[in-house]
Amino acid sequence: MSVSQVLEVALGLILVYYILGSIISLITQWVNEFFETRGKTLETYLIKIVSEKKVGDFISLPQIQALRPIRYRTPFSVVRSLTEPKKIEKIPVATLVDAYFDFIGLTAKPEMNMLQLAELVDKLPESEGKRAFIQWINQGVTNISDLRTRTTAYFTGLMEQAAATFRANARSVVIVLSIAITVLFGTDSIQLAKTLWTNAEARALAVAKAQMVVAQEGMDATVSDLIQELSDMTIRLGWWQTERPPAGATVMDWIGFVILKALGLGLTAAAVSQGSSFWYDFLKKLVAQNPSGVKSASDTSGGLG
């Protein structure tokens, strides 16, 4: 067993995981933008601050409206360059605090006594933001500067929770897509490793492509380009190339085949769900080692035509 051969197989596997991960990253981005999931997640936390009844009024404040991202109206609007403002996806905490103080009428009032402050807060609709202010006032915090400091800390925590909620939702999408794409392409890690191990030409091509990806600092490509990269590699990827048991195989042979196939697909789905950036970093580390058994891209490209 050659160390360089093991490394070449690893490079081939990681390259496939990286390309599939890149496809999933692009699709996830499309899903998040089309359904405005980041904006909807943020809106649920703004409702906590000002209530569902008043969230529309709060979002309509000029400093909040200015943060709306401009994107294509639909996936097909790119042809005619039709754009429109989408849901707000991120609000700097300082801007959020200023907007909230404007919203409840505290910006133009540098000093208020406890009674005046309590009357002002009492007019707000029921929300977590209102309850937080009532609790601070009951604790004797009536100085506007102190209230701003506490509000900043409170909103910082809420924005971090909003970001964590979005990441968790996006992670779920990635896992589902990883399973779907793996099953769609029939990318079996076990079969792929076997093919790489026994096919020197496939390993050489995988190494050349891996070194090219690292040299270009990743792939900035469309989904169709990435799928083409997969099809260009002489590696068995599709269901149509699955090595099935031969004619006359026993039931146990078929059971073993199904178990092994499910394991191979499961390994691929689990690996791909780690994300393209994870596998790109891995790819860089392996290519950087460049042992004597792994040729440079210039050495291998000529032999591959």
Side-chain angles (χ1 to χ4, degrees), residues 124-166:
L124 298 174
E126 283 301 320
S127 64
E128 289 187 16
K130 177 180 179 177
R131 290 193 290 272
F133 259 75
I134 291 174
Q135 183 174 346
W136 296 333
I137 294 170
N138 290 338
Q139 292 172 347
V141 182
T142 58
N143 182 274
I144 302 300
S145 178
D146 291 341
L147 284 172
R148 181 177 285 274
T149 299
R150 287 175 179 247
T151 304
T152 299
Y154 171 49
F155 286 175
T156 298
L158 283 181
M159 291 302 97
E160 289 175 352
Q161 289 178 2
T165 300
F166 172 75

Side-chain angles (χ1 to χ4, degrees), residues 27 45 49 54 103 130 273 279:
I27 296 175
Y45 282 84
I49 296 173
K54 290 292 185 179
F103 182 72
K130 177 180 179 177
S273 69
W279 292 113

Side-chain angles (χ1 to χ4, degrees), residues 118-289:
E119 289 178 351
L120 182 65
V121 173
D122 189 55
K123 295 177 182 177
L124 298 174
E126 283 301 320
S127 64
E128 289 187 16
K130 177 180 179 177
R131 290 193 290 272
F133 259 75
I134 291 174
Q135 183 174 346
W136 296 333
I137 294 170
N138 290 338
Q139 292 172 347
V141 182
T142 58
N143 182 274
I144 302 300
S145 178
D146 291 341
L147 284 172
R148 181 177 285 274
T149 299
R150 287 175 179 247
T151 304
T152 299
Y154 171 49
F155 286 175
T156 298
L158 283 181
M159 291 302 97
E160 289 175 352
Q161 289 178 2
T165 300
F166 172 75
R167 288 195 298 270
N169 293 339
R171 178 65 180 159
S172 297
V173 173
V174 167
I175 291 173
V176 171
L177 285 174
S178 297
I179 296 171
I181 294 296
T182 296
V183 173
L184 177 65
F185 288 157
T187 314
D188 177 350
S189 288
I190 295 174
Q191 181 176 312
L192 181 59
K194 288 180 179 177
T195 302
L196 286 167
W197 184 259
T198 57
N199 190 325
E201 184 180 355
R203 292 198 307 273
L205 180 58
V207 169
K209 283 187 175 289
Q211 292 176 328
M212 180 186 68
V213 167
V214 171
Q216 294 177 347
E217 298 184 352
M219 286 182 176
D220 185 14
T222 64
V223 168
S224 59
D225 292 334
L226 291 167
I227 294 175
Q228 185 61 47
E229 285 290 337
L230 285 175
S231 63
D232 286 346
M233 298 173 65
T234 55
I235 297 174
R236 296 182 179 182
L237 286 173
W239 288 105
W240 56 91
Q241 292 177 324
T242 297
E243 295 178 352
R244 298 175 177 81
T250 65
V251 173
M252 292 306 298
D253 289 335
W254 277 100
I255 291 175
F257 164 75
V258 171
I259 292 174
L260 204 60
K261 176 60 68 175
L263 180 59
L265 294 173
L267 288 172
T268 303
V272 172
S273 69
Q274 299 306 307
S276 57
S277 58
F278 174 85
W279 292 113
Y280 177 70
D281 291 340
F282 227 127
L283 209 59
K284 279 175 52 176
K285 291 176 183 177
L286 285 183
V287 170
Q289 292 182 15

